[in-house]
């Protein structure tokens, strides 16, 4: 009935099998599971392995820089515990990584504590060393004391080198040897002055014309040596013993001048006297002999060795005093003045804030590159991370494609919509389960 032909456009749409809906739902679920469960769990597992292997490597590198039997034993045990965690069944289908990572982080804290304890032990020795250095290098130490402590000074430098090398075991052992040696040095000093006391308290070693000088000197020597014997060596404060023997030595070194003063005072107390340089020279020779034995500059073990040399050079060293004394007292006048001894004040304490002349520092702990397993674990981590990101990027692109290409012909949007729904389904379920757990 049309006056003209009318074109009719017929569109034939092929209706696909309804079962494709199930196929796309399952596909979305599987892909969602693979990305958010399998790959994510595998990535978490690699983080655990990476963290654990890094900790094992750090422990190994740290052990290369130190020497401490106890610390080494504890850290090797700690490393073994980390290996046990890594060898546990980190199944990609079961999210065990969070607990394993927490366990490794706890081991990391133990490792950090061990490093800090080790460093503190070194610092403690370094602080002791600083005090010892200050007392051993005090410029007010008398020469003989300084000489007796020469070996101790060398050991302080050895201990400092061991600290710089993080050698805690040998530093402790050397420090113990130092204290033992310092005590022995003090005993050697004490033993030598036993021989000095024996000489200066023997009557025959004094001019028989000077009984007052003999009595005064004998009393002083006896008192000084009693004080010397009373000195106690304490490892917790070795400087006290050093200070004490230095003060004692100072008293001994005043004796020669005291002897000369007393001799001249005895002679000057006579009613008849005149200038006599020969007597003064004889007294000075004996004073020099006494000075040599109390200062012990040759570090001999027995003062008799000084005496034998002195008497060889001056066989009548004491008899000359008697001879000149008798000559001078025949109406003689002696114009002699006793020399006053000068005392060097010795510091009674060592300032705690004295700058550390040794510049003691605890050496830093170096870290080197990862081992082969550590590198492989990092490679796997980046691989899984990239794969997850790549797949997610594709899915996001598909979602954008669905939104922007509404006019796309072929009803692909239906497939994509179903797939994305299925893909996000496990997220919704997980959120519901988490929400329910929080309510509970």
């Amino acid at each position: 009935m049309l006056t003209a032909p009318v074109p009719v456009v017929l569109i034939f749409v092929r209706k696909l099998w309804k079962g494709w809906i199930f196929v796309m739902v399952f596909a979305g679920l599987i892909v969602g599971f693979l990305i958010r469960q399998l790959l994510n769990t595998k990535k978490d597992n690699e983080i655990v392995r990476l963290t654990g292997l890094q900790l094992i490597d750090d422990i190994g590198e740290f052990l290369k820089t130190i020497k401490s039997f106890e610390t080494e034993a504890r850290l090797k045990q700690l490393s073994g515990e980390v290996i046990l965690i890594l060898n546990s069944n980190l199944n990609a289908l079961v999210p065990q990584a969070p607990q394993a990572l927490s366990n490794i982080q706890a081991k990391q804290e133990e490792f950090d504590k061990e490093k800090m304890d080790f460093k503190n032990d070194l610092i403690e020795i370094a602080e002791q060393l600083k005090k010892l250095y200050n007392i051993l290098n005090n410029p007010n130490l008398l020469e003989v004391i300084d000489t007796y402590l020469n070996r101790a000074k060398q050991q302080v430098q050895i201990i400092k080198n061991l600290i710089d090398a993080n050698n805690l075991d040998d530093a402790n052992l050397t420090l113990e040897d130092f204290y033992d040696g310092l005590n022995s040095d003090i005993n050697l000093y004490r033993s030598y002055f036993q021989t000095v006391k024996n000489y200066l308290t023997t009557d025959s070693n004094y001019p028989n014309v000077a009984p007052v000088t003999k009595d005064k000197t004998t009393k002083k020597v006896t008192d000084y040596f009693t004080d010397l014997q009373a000195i106690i060596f304490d490892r917790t404060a070795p400087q006290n013993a050093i200070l004490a023997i230095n003060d004692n030595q100072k008293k001994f070194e005043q004796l020669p001048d005291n002897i000369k003063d007393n001799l001249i005072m005895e002679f000057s107390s006579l009613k008849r006297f005149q200038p006599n340089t020969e007597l003064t020279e004889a007294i000075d020779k004996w004073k020099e002999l006494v000075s040599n034995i109390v200062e012990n500059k040759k570090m001999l073990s027995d003062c008799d060795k000084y005496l034998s040399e002195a008497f060889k050079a001056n066989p009548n060293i004491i008899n000359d005093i008697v001879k000149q004394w008798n000559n001078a007292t025949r109406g003689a006048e002696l114009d002699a003045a006793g020399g006053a001894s000068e005392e060097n004040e010795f510091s009674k304490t060592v300032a705690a804030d004295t700058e550390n002349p040794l510049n003691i520092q605890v050496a830093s702990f170096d870290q080197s590159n990862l081992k082969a397993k550590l590198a492989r674990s990092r490679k796997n981590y980046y691989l899984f991370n990239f794969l997850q990101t790549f797949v997610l990027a594709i899915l996001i692109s598909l979602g954008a494609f669905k939104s922007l290409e509404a006019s796309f012909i072929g009803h692909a949007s239906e497939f994509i919509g179903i797939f994305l729904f299925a893909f996000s389904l496990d997220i919704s379920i997980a959120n519901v389960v988490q929400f329910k757990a929080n309510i509970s």
Side-chain angles (χ1 to χ4, degrees), residues 11 15 37 56 121 150 218 220 223 226 246-247 252 261 270 284 290 342 368 387 391 413 439:
I11 299 175
K15 189 176 182 180
Q37 299 297 324
I56 293 173
D121 288 342
N150 185 58
T218 299
K220 283 181 178 292
D223 291 343
T226 300
N246 191 81
D247 287 342
F252 272 115
D261 292 344
L270 300 176
D284 282 337
V290 178
E342 296 182 359
S368 61
L387 183 58
V391 176
S413 59
I439 294 177

Side-chain angles (χ1 to χ4, degrees), residues 104-119:
I104 290 179
Q105 289 172 342
K107 301 302 177 185
Q108 177 71 51
E109 292 177 0
E110 291 183 36
F111 175 50
D112 293 339
K113 183 178 182 301
E114 285 291 341
K115 288 196 297 184
M116 184 58 66
D117 290 345
F118 179 85
K119 182 178 180 180

Side-chain angles (χ1 to χ4, degrees), residues 41-55 82 85-88 90 96-105 374 377 381:
T41 303
K42 286 185 69 65
K43 186 179 74 171
D44 290 344
N45 290 345
E46 286 304 317
I47 291 177
V48 172
R49 291 189 178 93
L50 181 62
T51 305
L53 290 173
Q54 180 69 65
L55 177 55
V82 176
I85 296 175
L86 296 182
N87 289 339
S88 63
L90 295 176
Q96 297 174 325
Q99 183 59 47
L101 183 61
S102 177
N103 293 339
I104 290 179
Q105 289 172 342
L374 185 58
S377 180
Y381 169 74

Side-chain angles (χ1 to χ4, degrees), residues 17-30:
W17 175 54
K18 294 182 179 181
W20 279 107
I21 297 175
F22 297 98
V23 173
M24 294 307 297
V25 170
F26 276 105
L29 287 173
I30 291 172

Side-chain angles (χ1 to χ4, degrees), residues 252-421:
F252 272 115
E253 292 189 4
Q254 293 170 358
L255 283 173
D257 284 324
N258 289 336
I259 290 174
K260 178 179 178 179
D261 292 344
N262 289 328
L263 282 173
I264 293 177
M265 285 179 64
E266 279 199 77
F267 179 70
S268 299
S269 66
L270 300 176
K271 293 182 179 181
R272 296 180 303 159
F273 51 87
Q274 66 180 14
N276 189 320
T277 56
E278 288 81 3
L279 175 60
T280 304
E281 291 175 356
I283 293 175
D284 282 337
K285 287 181 180 179
W286 192 48
K287 173 190 169 182
E288 181 181 358
L289 168 63
V290 178
S291 296
N292 286 339
I293 66 173
V294 297
E295 293 178 11
N296 194 17
K297 292 183 178 180
K298 295 183 179 180
M299 291 300 292
L300 301 179
S301 59
D302 191 326
C303 80
D304 285 345
K305 295 179 180 179
Y306 282 111
L307 301 177
S308 62
E309 294 180 4
F311 286 125
K312 284 180 181 178
N314 301 279
N316 297 314
I317 194 168
I318 294 178
N319 291 335
D320 283 346
I321 296 177
V322 177
K323 177 181 177 182
Q324 298 304 327
W325 186 290
N326 292 331
N327 291 337
T329 54
R330 295 171 186 156
E333 178 181 9
L334 175 64
D335 182 13
S341 61
E342 296 182 359
E343 296 186 6
N344 293 322
E345 287 298 326
F346 186 67
S347 175
K348 299 298 182 182
T349 59
V350 178
D353 58 348
T354 302
E355 181 180 356
N356 182 4
L358 283 179
N359 191 25
I360 297 171
Q361 297 178 348
V362 179
S364 58
F365 306 128
D366 298 329
Q367 296 181 354
S368 61
N369 296 330
L370 299 173
K371 306 296 185 291
K373 287 185 177 181
L374 185 58
R376 184 165 58 252
S377 180
R378 178 177 284 116
K379 179 180 178 181
N380 291 339
Y381 169 74
Y382 288 126
L383 175 63
F384 293 137
N385 195 45
F386 171 77
L387 183 58
Q388 183 183 31
T389 304
F390 179 74
V391 176
L392 286 172
I394 293 176
L395 294 175
I396 293 172
S397 298
L398 290 174
F401 178 78
K402 173 181 179 296
S403 301
L404 299 175
E405 297 293 331
S407 60
F408 179 75
I409 300 175
H411 297 286
S413 59
E414 293 180 293
F415 287 91
I416 295 173
I418 295 172
F419 181 81
L420 291 177
F421 165 75

